[in-house]
Amino acid sequence: MKYRNTKLITTLIVLCIIAFAVAFGLVTYQTVDQGNAKIESDADFAKIKAESINQKGIIVIVNKKRVYPSKGKFFMSPKMNLMIPTEVVEKNLNCACLKYKGKTVVVIKGNTKAILKEGSSKVKINGSDYTIKEKVIKKDGVIYIPSSLFENYLGFAYKWENETNTATLTDTALGNALPTRYNYGEEGRLPKVQDQGQSTTCWAYATLSAIESSLLPNEKYEFSRKHLIDYSAKYSDIKNGGDYSFSMAYLTSWNGPVSDNANGYGKIKKHIQSAQILTPKDQEEMKRMVFKYGGVETSIYLQRSVSVDGSPYYNSKTASYAYRGDSKANHDVVVVGWDDNYPKENFPIRVKRDGAFICLNSWGKDFGQDGLFYVSYDSVAFGEVSVCYTQIEDVDNYDNIYQSDLFGWTATMGYKDKTNVYFANNFKAKNDEKIKAVGFYATEEKTDYEVFVCENYTGVNSLNSRTHVAASTSVENKGFYTLNLDKGYDVEKGKKFSIIVKAHNKEKSLKLVPVEATRKSMKKKVDLKDGEGFISPDGKNWGSVEKQKCNVCLKAYTDKR
């Protein structure tokens, strides 16, 4: 009996060891069911393991920061490849990710270009054919690319931690994220060349060309410049020109962009949800934005006589421009590429180095090289004000927008010697709805935000009941941002609700609250009856901004219940 017990215990120990090894992938196994001739192989085991991982949810860390896709989600394929949404590829992996018609996807990092096809594991890297471990797939409208592409060909180290369900991607070649030459004309991303004529509306042409380029190559649009100009002219004096702020007010309020048709203006085609104002003259940032998102609308000093009588700063033979004078910027163009090796000898004046931005003008195809020209990296009065439209969505993204700032961000408010400030907007619900997202302007660089929702506003003290952060972000650039909330917040028809935002900037600032205020160039005064805004230095004591003849620039996006 003693012998039998010892043998039984030994058997149990061996079985436990085998089970442990199998569970943690130390060994694989094969079993044969003689009745059904069923074989469970390595592939079957990987599939079971992937299903278990996906049920738990995957944490993804890219360059030491956790990543949250807004569309789609990370999942492990049956072959144990992490599947990455293209949005993450574009925003977090320092790559350009272009979707072309015919199910072609192009991923570019540095001077490496990978051409893939949906439903295929074949990839062409800089003209040579290779195979990756998993197919590119499209699921619920989102394209996914396997992690093996980035690990094997694009300079990323990949690590999987089974205990924490965490995938880590580390870029081992951060300094080589951008190619030395990049041109929208060669990537199918160049919009139609426009001609503003003798008008002073370059800002409107540049804005819409930049947006059109952001949608290419997958979506081709030609938006109405006249509609943007006419809309802005109703509210402001544009006889002497305009600027990006007119465009942002028009776009973020969902009044455009629209298309032209035979009977006048067409319907709104897209919703602009984010637009970043870049650091002045930051050439590397400008390149990154062009590479990852779309054309950058930027300011330049450019004499109209360049295309008529000639200019000492322009070489018509090489379509190159370099300016070293004292004049301020007076024109807007769109940066659509660059060439680090463009010869400095091509410029009409002496410059210190090779290299140029490739810019799209709005003076027709007769200017430059079919509307394009080269601007030296050493030009002054270039890139002082630059905007890139970084989040463009279909018009069915939300059912309703609540806002009180149709003129947009025209002024700022704040408190002396405060690094934190709170601002809030109240609205009355039109229907039984769910609040899904909020939008606001970041007035300073490197600012942190937390968003709170009060579903039933009954008085100013309601703004102090902030028990849950509904969204948070840290922004590097000024501009307009939309934040998705962690869930839908229910509001009832006819009742008020509030959106509250806490802004933090480690530098003491007076200018963290974006407001709409009447300015001299406006033809109309702002409407103070379309919202109910508040500002607070501590999140407890609130003051009305309407009493200061302003509206808070803070929007809410909802879906019907």
Side-chain angles (χ1 to χ4, degrees):
M1 182 66 70
K2 182 177 179 180
Y3 168 76
R4 289 180 180 177
N5 287 340
T6 302
K7 186 176 181 180
L8 177 61
I9 291 170
T10 302
T11 302
L12 289 172
I13 291 172
V14 171
L15 289 173
C16 287
I17 291 171
I18 292 171
F20 177 87
V22 169
F24 288 90
L26 301 178
V27 299
T28 58
Y29 64 99
Q30 261 189 359
T31 62
V32 180
D33 183 336
Q34 295 183 3
N36 298 313
K38 178 183 176 183
I39 298 178
E40 295 184 23
S41 63
D42 290 352
D44 296 317
F45 181 67
K47 183 178 180 180
I48 294 169
K49 187 175 180 181
E51 289 174 353
S52 174
I53 289 169
N54 293 330
Q55 287 175 0
K56 294 177 184 177
I58 299 173
I59 298 171
V60 176
I61 308 293
V62 177
N63 297 327
K64 299 182 179 181
K65 292 179 68 175
R66 185 166 180 181
V67 173
Y68 300 89
S70 62
K71 294 182 179 179
K73 63 180 182 179
F74 298 109
F75 68 93
M76 199 65 74
S77 77
K79 294 182 179 180
M80 288 297 293
N81 274 274
L82 177 69
M83 302 302 288
I84 304 173
T86 51
E87 172 209 357
V88 172
V89 175
E90 180 182 83
K91 292 183 178 180
N92 304 105
L93 297 184
N94 293 317
C95 298
C97 188
L98 311 175
K99 280 81 75 178
Y100 293 81
K101 293 180 180 179
K103 299 184 177 182
T104 297
V105 181
V106 175
V107 177
I108 309 172
K109 181 172 182 287
N111 292 315
T112 302
K113 179 187 282 190
I115 302 175
L116 309 103
K117 285 271 192 181
E118 288 178 38
S120 174
S121 59
K122 296 185 182 301
V123 58
K124 191 177 286 293
I125 307 286
N126 289 347
S128 298
D129 294 325
Y130 298 90
T131 301
I132 51 179
K133 297 176 182 178
E134 189 75 54
K135 294 178 180 179
V136 175
I137 67 167
K138 189 171 186 178
K139 183 178 180 182
D140 298 327
V142 176
I143 299 172
Y144 291 87
I145 298 176
S147 57
S148 56
L149 173 72
F150 306 95
E151 181 183 6
N152 296 334
Y153 301 107
L154 296 177
F156 283 86
Y158 174 79
K159 181 181 178 182
W160 173 254
E161 295 179 4
N162 199 59
E163 291 183 2
T164 58
N165 243 40
T166 299
T168 302
L169 283 157
T170 303
D171 193 344
T172 61
L174 279 172
N176 299 315
L178 296 172
T180 54
R181 184 177 185 277
Y182 191 66
N183 185 348
Y184 276 12
E186 297 167 2
E187 303 295 337
R189 301 181 70 181
L190 190 66
K192 181 180 176 181
V193 177
Q194 302 286 334
D195 191 344
Q196 70 185 72
Q198 297 301 313
S199 71
T200 57
T201 55
C202 57
W203 53 276
Y205 281 78
T207 290
L208 295 178
S209 289
I211 293 171
E212 288 166 357
S213 73
S214 295
L215 296 167
L216 288 166
N218 195 41
E219 297 181 273
K220 186 176 182 179
Y221 286 94
E222 185 176 353
F223 297 121
S224 174
R225 275 70 179 165
K226 188 174 186 302
H227 188 264
L228 168 53
I229 294 164
D230 289 349
Y231 176 88
S232 299
K234 288 191 300 183
Y235 297 102
S236 299
D237 183 359
I238 63 170
K239 288 183 296 185
N240 296 318
D243 59 37
Y244 72 93
S245 66
F246 292 2
S247 299
M248 288 179 73
Y250 163 82
L251 295 164
T252 61
S253 61
W254 288 5
N255 281 292
V258 306
S259 58
D260 289 317
N261 61 33
N263 300 316
Y265 300 125
K267 294 180 179 180
I268 296 173
K269 294 297 184 181
K270 291 289 178 178
H271 284 161
I272 310 303
Q273 298 296 151
S274 291
Q276 297 188 40
I277 301 170
L278 311 189
T279 305
K281 298 185 178 181
D282 189 332
Q283 295 185 350
E284 288 304 303
E285 183 182 37
M286 189 179 290
K287 290 179 183 178
R288 286 196 301 271
M289 289 292 175
V290 171
F291 188 56
K292 294 166 65 175
Y293 297 107
V296 170
E297 173 186 359
T298 197
S299 58
I300 186 174
Y301 174 71
L302 189 64
Q303 300 165 310
R304 186 69 200 208
S305 61
V306 162
S307 63
V308 181
D309 303 317
S311 163
Y313 309 112
Y314 180 69
N315 183 343
S316 60
K317 293 180 180 179
T318 57
S320 60
Y321 182 83
Y323 178 69
R324 301 294 300 170
D326 298 324
S327 297
K328 302 294 184 182
N330 63 351
H331 187 58
D332 278 1
V333 295
V334 183
V335 180
V336 294
W338 66 88
D339 185 348
D340 291 341
N341 298 315
Y342 188 80
K344 61 185 178 181
E345 292 79 16
N346 282 358
F347 295 105
I349 63 173
R350 184 184 296 274
V351 294
K352 296 180 180 179
R353 54 179 171 155
D354 292 340
F357 285 104
I358 303 169
C359 296
L360 173 66
N361 204 359
S362 52
W363 293 351
K365 282 193 171 186
D366 291 338
F367 173 77
Q369 295 176 353
D370 292 328
L372 298 175
F373 68 117
Y374 293 86
V375 178
S376 169
Y377 288 162
D378 286 340
S379 283
V380 300
F382 176 79
E384 292 172 349
V385 179
S386 301
V387 181
C388 186
Y389 300 90
T390 53
Q391 186 178 347
I392 305 172
E393 298 184 0
D394 292 331
V395 294
D396 60 355
N397 57 347
Y398 307 108
D399 290 333
N400 288 313
I401 181 173
Y402 288 86
Q403 58 187 334
S404 59
D405 58 331
L406 294 180
F407 288 156
W409 168 30
T410 61
T412 53
M413 296 179 70
Y415 297 93
K416 188 176 181 180
D417 297 329
K418 294 289 183 181
T419 58
N420 293 332
V421 67
Y422 294 77
F423 54 98
N425 238 356
N426 301 336
F427 302 102
K428 184 180 288 187
K430 301 172 185 176
N431 303 285
D432 290 343
E433 298 174 84
K434 285 184 178 290
I435 309 169
K436 302 299 291 290
V438 301
F440 56 85
Y441 293 91
T443 64
E444 297 288 344
E445 297 178 342
K446 301 184 186 309
T447 305
D448 302 323
Y449 293 93
E450 291 181 345
V451 176
F452 307 87
V453 177
C454 173
E455 295 164 283
N456 186 21
Y457 176 83
T458 57
V460 71
N461 288 334
S462 299
L463 303 177
N464 297 336
S465 302
R466 300 182 305 276
T467 58
H468 177 70
V469 178
S472 63
T473 191
S474 297
V475 303
E476 289 294 316
N477 292 321
K478 299 178 184 180
F480 184 83
Y481 293 88
T482 296
L483 301 186
N484 292 326
L485 303 182
D486 60 341
K487 64 177 183 178
Y489 289 82
D490 292 340
V491 293
E492 294 183 24
K493 181 179 180 179
K495 292 188 176 182
K496 289 184 178 181
F497 64 90
S498 304
I499 305 296
I500 307 109
V501 174
K502 175 186 176 182
H504 169 76
N505 191 300
K506 65 180 180 180
E507 302 294 334
K508 294 179 180 179
S509 175
L510 303 177
K511 303 178 179 180
L512 292 181
V513 181
V515 295
E516 175 198 47
T518 302
R519 56 186 179 186
K520 291 182 180 180
S521 62
M522 288 182 178
K523 293 181 178 179
K524 299 179 181 180
K525 293 184 177 181
V526 300
D527 184 356
L528 301 176
K529 298 177 182 179
D530 54 1
E532 190 177 12
F534 296 91
I535 183 175
S536 171
D538 54 13
K540 297 178 182 178
N541 300 290
W542 297 86
S544 167
V545 298
E546 276 78 16
K547 289 182 179 180
Q548 305 296 321
K549 301 187 183 303
C550 299
N551 287 314
V552 171
C553 298
L554 177 56
K555 306 176 191 287
Y557 305 98
T558 65
D559 285 340
K560 293 179 182 178
R561 283 196 275 152

